[in-house]
Amino acid sequence: MTKTPRDPKGDTREARLKAALRANLARRKAQGRARAGTAEDMMNEQHGPEMPANGQTPGNED
């Protein structure tokens, strides 16, 4: 079997599509990381710190 010669226009189109795909994936990954960081920050704000700064647990103060 012989391969047909590739169209140079097609090669540049493929290269552009691959580059666009890589850029799109990188952008989506960055968005996902930003959302994950934002979600963690929101969870920390809602629940507050685990232990107060003085090291005592809140609730049963005598």
Side-chain angles (χ1 to χ4, degrees):
M1 287 179 59
T2 60
K3 290 186 178 182
T4 58
R6 291 195 134 202
D7 183 19
K9 290 181 184 176
D11 287 341
T12 57
R13 181 175 185 267
E14 273 188 39
R16 283 186 290 130
L17 288 173
K18 284 181 183 181
L21 181 63
R22 281 191 215 107
N24 200 3
L25 286 172
R27 185 170 43 248
R28 296 283 299 269
K29 279 185 177 183
Q31 286 175 347
R33 283 189 214 111
R35 285 189 187 126
T38 304
E40 274 185 29
D41 293 343
M42 289 179 66
M43 291 296 288
N44 289 337
E45 288 175 6
Q46 288 176 356
H47 294 294
E50 294 289 324
M51 292 283 285
N54 61 9
Q56 297 176 349
T57 57
N60 294 332
E61 289 102 12
D62 289 339

